[in-house]
mmCIF file of all heavy atoms in Angstrom:
data_model
loop_
_atom_site.group_PDB
_atom_site.id
_atom_site.type_symbol
_atom_site.label_atom_id
_atom_site.label_comp_id
_atom_site.label_asym_id
_atom_site.label_seq_id
_atom_site.Cartn_x
_atom_site.Cartn_y
_atom_site.Cartn_z
ATOM 1 N N ASN O 129 -14.511 -44.302 -21.661
ATOM 2 C CA ASN O 129 -13.736 -44.396 -22.910
ATOM 3 C C ASN O 129 -14.528 -44.117 -24.125
ATOM 4 O O ASN O 129 -13.919 -43.918 -25.310
ATOM 5 C CB ASN O 129 -12.942 -45.642 -23.008
ATOM 6 C CG ASN O 129 -13.834 -46.873 -23.221
ATOM 7 O OD1 ASN O 129 -14.980 -46.925 -22.867
ATOM 8 N ND2 ASN O 129 -13.283 -47.875 -23.890
ATOM 9 N N GLN O 130 -15.844 -44.055 -24.081
ATOM 10 C CA GLN O 130 -16.632 -43.863 -25.263
ATOM 11 C C GLN O 130 -17.180 -42.432 -25.320
ATOM 12 O O GLN O 130 -17.911 -42.030 -26.327
ATOM 13 C CB GLN O 130 -17.910 -44.732 -25.196
ATOM 14 C CG GLN O 130 -17.563 -46.227 -25.033
ATOM 15 C CD GLN O 130 -17.107 -46.899 -26.264
ATOM 16 O OE1 GLN O 130 -17.310 -46.324 -27.351
ATOM 17 N NE2 GLN O 130 -16.419 -47.974 -26.149
ATOM 18 N N ILE O 131 -16.811 -41.585 -24.333
ATOM 19 C CA ILE O 131 -17.395 -40.331 -24.299
ATOM 20 C C ILE O 131 -16.582 -39.150 -24.939
ATOM 21 O O ILE O 131 -15.306 -39.043 -24.644
ATOM 22 C CB ILE O 131 -17.718 -39.981 -22.869
ATOM 23 C CG1 ILE O 131 -18.627 -41.002 -22.178
ATOM 24 C CG2 ILE O 131 -18.331 -38.506 -22.717
ATOM 25 C CD1 ILE O 131 -19.965 -41.232 -22.866
ATOM 26 N N ASN O 132 -17.183 -38.241 -25.704
ATOM 27 C CA ASN O 132 -16.554 -37.096 -26.157
ATOM 28 C C ASN O 132 -17.270 -35.942 -25.370
ATOM 29 O O ASN O 132 -18.339 -35.518 -25.636
ATOM 30 C CB ASN O 132 -16.912 -36.932 -27.634
ATOM 31 C CG ASN O 132 -16.359 -35.615 -28.228
ATOM 32 O OD1 ASN O 132 -15.745 -34.764 -27.539
ATOM 33 N ND2 ASN O 132 -16.351 -35.428 -29.622
ATOM 34 N N TRP O 133 -16.438 -35.406 -24.438
ATOM 35 C CA TRP O 133 -17.001 -34.302 -23.540
ATOM 36 C C TRP O 133 -17.162 -32.963 -24.302
ATOM 37 O O TRP O 133 -17.949 -32.213 -23.682
ATOM 38 C CB TRP O 133 -15.991 -34.074 -22.426
ATOM 39 C CG TRP O 133 -15.770 -35.371 -21.627
ATOM 40 C CD1 TRP O 133 -14.666 -36.096 -21.588
ATOM 41 C CD2 TRP O 133 -16.582 -35.944 -20.611
ATOM 42 N NE1 TRP O 133 -14.777 -37.105 -20.678
ATOM 43 C CE2 TRP O 133 -15.962 -37.066 -20.112
ATOM 44 C CE3 TRP O 133 -17.911 -35.609 -20.083
ATOM 45 C CZ2 TRP O 133 -16.532 -37.795 -19.008
ATOM 46 C CZ3 TRP O 133 -18.454 -36.333 -19.109
ATOM 47 C CH2 TRP O 133 -17.696 -37.442 -18.574
ATOM 48 N N ASN O 134 -16.789 -32.916 -25.545
ATOM 49 C CA ASN O 134 -17.059 -31.730 -26.239
ATOM 50 C C ASN O 134 -18.412 -31.646 -26.913
ATOM 51 O O ASN O 134 -18.871 -30.716 -27.512
ATOM 52 C CB ASN O 134 -15.938 -31.405 -27.318
ATOM 53 C CG ASN O 134 -14.566 -31.247 -26.679
ATOM 54 O OD1 ASN O 134 -14.467 -30.508 -25.680
ATOM 55 N ND2 ASN O 134 -13.575 -31.811 -27.277
ATOM 56 N N GLU O 135 -19.076 -32.787 -26.877
ATOM 57 C CA GLU O 135 -20.403 -32.931 -27.513
ATOM 58 C C GLU O 135 -21.452 -33.078 -26.400
ATOM 59 O O GLU O 135 -21.152 -33.472 -25.255
ATOM 60 C CB GLU O 135 -20.471 -34.141 -28.494
ATOM 61 C CG GLU O 135 -19.479 -34.053 -29.547
ATOM 62 C CD GLU O 135 -19.869 -33.014 -30.594
ATOM 63 O OE1 GLU O 135 -21.121 -32.734 -30.637
ATOM 64 O OE2 GLU O 135 -19.040 -32.467 -31.317
ATOM 65 N N PRO O 136 -22.742 -32.922 -26.650
ATOM 66 C CA PRO O 136 -23.806 -33.125 -25.692
ATOM 67 C C PRO O 136 -23.743 -34.497 -25.143
ATOM 68 O O PRO O 136 -23.506 -35.496 -25.866
ATOM 69 C CB PRO O 136 -25.001 -32.858 -26.477
ATOM 70 C CG PRO O 136 -24.693 -31.875 -27.546
ATOM 71 C CD PRO O 136 -23.291 -32.399 -27.951
ATOM 72 N N ILE O 137 -23.912 -34.723 -23.851
ATOM 73 C CA ILE O 137 -24.014 -35.987 -23.257
ATOM 74 C C ILE O 137 -25.430 -36.393 -22.761
ATOM 75 O O ILE O 137 -26.227 -35.344 -22.476
ATOM 76 C CB ILE O 137 -22.979 -36.214 -22.011
ATOM 77 C CG1 ILE O 137 -23.433 -35.270 -20.918
ATOM 78 C CG2 ILE O 137 -21.635 -35.983 -22.448
ATOM 79 C CD1 ILE O 137 -22.642 -35.448 -19.609
ATOM 80 N N THR O 138 -25.799 -37.623 -22.793
ATOM 81 C CA THR O 138 -27.158 -38.029 -22.306
ATOM 82 C C THR O 138 -26.861 -38.872 -21.108
ATOM 83 O O THR O 138 -26.213 -39.996 -21.209
ATOM 84 C CB THR O 138 -27.915 -38.734 -23.532
ATOM 85 O OG1 THR O 138 -28.098 -37.790 -24.532
ATOM 86 C CG2 THR O 138 -29.235 -39.132 -22.898
ATOM 87 N N LEU O 139 -27.639 -38.563 -20.024
ATOM 88 C CA LEU O 139 -27.517 -39.338 -18.766
ATOM 89 C C LEU O 139 -28.737 -40.244 -18.690
ATOM 90 O O LEU O 139 -29.942 -39.819 -18.883
ATOM 91 C CB LEU O 139 -27.469 -38.445 -17.586
ATOM 92 C CG LEU O 139 -26.342 -37.399 -17.609
ATOM 93 C CD1 LEU O 139 -26.266 -36.659 -16.253
ATOM 94 C CD2 LEU O 139 -24.912 -38.169 -17.629
ATOM 95 N N VAL O 140 -28.548 -41.578 -18.535
ATOM 96 C CA VAL O 140 -29.649 -42.501 -18.492
ATOM 97 C C VAL O 140 -29.403 -43.456 -17.206
ATOM 98 O O VAL O 140 -28.402 -43.328 -16.591
ATOM 99 C CB VAL O 140 -29.666 -43.485 -19.774
ATOM 100 C CG1 VAL O 140 -30.004 -42.620 -21.015
ATOM 101 C CG2 VAL O 140 -28.449 -44.164 -20.013
ATOM 102 N N GLU O 141 -30.354 -44.266 -16.967
ATOM 103 C CA GLU O 141 -30.277 -45.067 -15.732
ATOM 104 C C GLU O 141 -29.379 -46.328 -15.877
ATOM 105 O O GLU O 141 -28.510 -46.641 -15.186
ATOM 106 C CB GLU O 141 -31.667 -45.441 -15.188
ATOM 107 C CG GLU O 141 -32.411 -44.323 -14.671
ATOM 108 C CD GLU O 141 -33.625 -44.709 -13.928
ATOM 109 O OE1 GLU O 141 -33.642 -45.839 -13.322
ATOM 110 O OE2 GLU O 141 -34.638 -43.968 -13.934
ATOM 111 N N GLY O 142 -29.537 -47.047 -16.993
ATOM 112 C CA GLY O 142 -28.855 -48.361 -17.131
ATOM 113 C C GLY O 142 -28.063 -48.541 -18.362
ATOM 114 O O GLY O 142 -28.177 -47.680 -19.225
ATOM 115 N N VAL O 143 -27.231 -49.574 -18.433
ATOM 116 C CA VAL O 143 -26.313 -49.681 -19.518
ATOM 117 C C VAL O 143 -27.078 -50.068 -20.812
ATOM 118 O O VAL O 143 -26.783 -49.624 -21.923
ATOM 119 C CB VAL O 143 -25.336 -50.889 -19.286
ATOM 120 C CG1 VAL O 143 -24.411 -50.462 -18.210
ATOM 121 C CG2 VAL O 143 -26.046 -52.193 -18.998
ATOM 122 N N PHE O 144 -28.278 -50.698 -20.735
ATOM 123 C CA PHE O 144 -29.025 -51.033 -22.005
ATOM 124 C C PHE O 144 -29.675 -49.728 -22.408
ATOM 125 O O PHE O 144 -29.917 -49.658 -23.673
ATOM 126 C CB PHE O 144 -30.025 -52.144 -21.609
ATOM 127 C CG PHE O 144 -29.356 -53.375 -21.222
ATOM 128 C CD1 PHE O 144 -29.499 -53.905 -19.931
ATOM 129 C CD2 PHE O 144 -28.613 -54.209 -22.126
ATOM 130 C CE1 PHE O 144 -28.760 -55.017 -19.532
ATOM 131 C CE2 PHE O 144 -28.112 -55.333 -21.765
ATOM 132 C CZ PHE O 144 -28.149 -55.812 -20.520
ATOM 133 N N ASP O 145 -30.021 -48.839 -21.609
ATOM 134 C CA ASP O 145 -30.494 -47.562 -22.003
ATOM 135 C C ASP O 145 -29.484 -46.733 -22.811
ATOM 136 O O ASP O 145 -29.719 -46.330 -23.873
ATOM 137 C CB ASP O 145 -30.962 -46.694 -20.866
ATOM 138 C CG ASP O 145 -32.161 -47.268 -20.067
ATOM 139 O OD1 ASP O 145 -33.008 -47.912 -20.568
ATOM 140 O OD2 ASP O 145 -32.152 -47.194 -18.737
ATOM 141 N N ALA O 146 -28.122 -46.775 -22.258
ATOM 142 C CA ALA O 146 -27.184 -46.131 -22.915
ATOM 143 C C ALA O 146 -26.853 -46.709 -24.274
ATOM 144 O O ALA O 146 -26.565 -45.943 -25.292
ATOM 145 C CB ALA O 146 -25.926 -46.111 -22.041
#
Side-chain angles (χ1 to χ4, degrees):
N129 66 334
Q130 305 288 339
I131 302 304
N132 180 353
W133 298 105
N134 297 318
E135 297 292 333
I137 63 171
T138 299
L139 305 180
V140 295
E141 290 193 30
V143 292
F144 297 109
D145 297 322

